[in-house]
């Protein structure tokens, strides 16, 4: 199940007009896990009211819950939406689209890239770096702990697919990480951005 948790902070949920809460997210995750259902939790970062602390806290919150994976996405000011108009009015949209610009223009309007700055002054590249750091830590530490403790449903439900994922995704990713030892997280996040743009 893809579970759109989106955020655990009430202010961000209100800003996204989401009728949810931290408690509802917790209960949904625990119910899905108890039923043996593989759960991919979706979150949205780069909200207007986000700070470095809230972005990190939103991802770290999942350390205490048995989700199989966390999929981060970013606020995207899609044309024709009221959220785009609001973000433009507040002067927060940095990548306004177009065929090409420093941030990739329309080609990066897919949820995987940050396009807006926050009211606290975080720029898109900083937001992406923070999310990159937290997801790397989550995937490396939390997922491993949950796997060893038998708390992940994906390996239990799909042992063949899990093995394929380890061979095709996890090992190559670990090799890239080893190759990039010594590079700053900002550099690694930039390389990850380029990789995603090239896909």
């Amino acid at each position: 199940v893809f579970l759109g948790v989106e955020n655990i902070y009430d202010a961000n949920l209100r800003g996204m007009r989401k009728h949810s809460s931290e408690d509802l997210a917790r209960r949904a995750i625990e119910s899905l896990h108890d039923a043996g259902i593989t759960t991919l939790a979706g979150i949205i970062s780069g909200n207007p009211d986000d700070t470095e602390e809230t972005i990190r806290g939103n991802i770290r919150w999942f350390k205490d819950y048995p989700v199989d994976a966390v999929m981060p996405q970013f606020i995207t000011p899609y044309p024709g939406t009221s959220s785009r108009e609001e973000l433009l009015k507040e002067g927060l949209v940095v990548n306004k689209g177009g065929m090409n610009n420093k941030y990739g223009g329309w080609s990066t309007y897919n949820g995987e890239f940050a396009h807006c700055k926050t009211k606290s002054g975080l720029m898109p590249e900083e937001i992406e770096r923070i999310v990159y750091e937290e997801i790397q830590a989550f995937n490396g530490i939390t997922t491993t702990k949950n796997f060893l403790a038998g708390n992940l449903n994906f390996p239990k439900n799909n042992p063949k697919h899990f093995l394929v994922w380890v061979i095709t995704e996890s090992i190559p990713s670990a090799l890239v990480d080893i190759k990039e030892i010594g590079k700053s997280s900002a550099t690694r996040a930039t390389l990850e951005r380029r990789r995603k743009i090239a896909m």
Side-chain angles (χ1 to χ4, degrees):
V1 167
F2 178 83
L3 182 65
V5 173
E6 316 299 29
N7 219 276
I8 58 157
Y9 295 105
D10 289 339
N12 282 336
L13 288 167
R14 282 194 304 274
M16 290 185 278
R17 298 176 184 86
K18 301 286 184 181
H19 302 288
S20 188
S21 68
E22 179 182 358
D23 180 59
L24 185 60
R26 177 190 56 75
R27 288 187 290 128
I29 290 167
E30 289 174 350
S31 295
L32 289 166
H33 182 264
D34 291 347
I37 298 171
T38 300
T39 307
L40 169 61
I43 60 165
I44 297 178
S45 297
N47 299 284
D49 293 318
D50 265 336
T51 62
E52 180 168 348
E53 292 72 28
T54 61
I55 294 171
R56 290 188 188 281
N58 198 40
I59 298 169
R60 289 177 183 177
W61 180 83
F62 290 96
K63 292 196 304 186
D64 296 324
Y65 300 98
V67 295
D68 291 271
V70 175
M71 181 179 153
Q73 291 202 305
F74 300 90
I75 286 286
T76 304
Y78 291 111
T81 61
S82 58
S83 63
R84 179 181 176 87
E85 295 308 312
E86 290 167 15
L87 291 165
L88 284 169
K89 189 175 177 182
E90 292 183 67
L92 299 176
V93 181
V94 175
N95 177 9
K96 295 180 181 176
M99 296 311 293
N100 193 18
N101 64 32
K102 174 182 173 183
Y103 292 97
W106 297 126
S107 68
T108 58
Y109 266 54
N110 59 11
E112 292 191 46
F113 302 88
H115 306 285
C116 303
K117 62 183 177 181
T118 65
K119 291 176 186 174
S120 66
L122 291 173
M123 295 300 286
E125 56 265 42
E126 295 174 286
I127 296 166
E128 289 180 9
R129 174 188 55 79
I130 294 163
V131 170
Y132 175 83
E133 289 172 355
E134 291 300 325
I135 289 297
Q136 290 296 101
F138 182 87
N139 289 341
I141 299 166
T142 304
T143 302
T144 301
K145 280 183 181 175
N146 280 334
F147 172 70
L148 294 174
N151 287 333
L152 299 182
N153 285 324
F154 179 62
K156 290 187 260 186
N157 296 343
N158 307 280
K160 271 190 194 174
H161 292 310
F162 179 70
L163 183 60
V164 169
W165 175 81
V166 168
I167 293 168
T168 62
E169 297 285 334
S170 185
I171 291 173
S173 178
L175 293 174
V176 168
D177 288 343
I178 290 167
K179 186 178 171 186
E180 293 179 355
I181 287 175
K183 292 180 182 172
S184 70
S185 60
T187 299
R188 292 198 311 272
T190 299
L191 292 171
E192 177 67 6
R193 169 178 251 277
R194 288 180 191 156
R195 185 190 67 77
K196 287 194 288 189
I197 288 174
M199 287 176 69

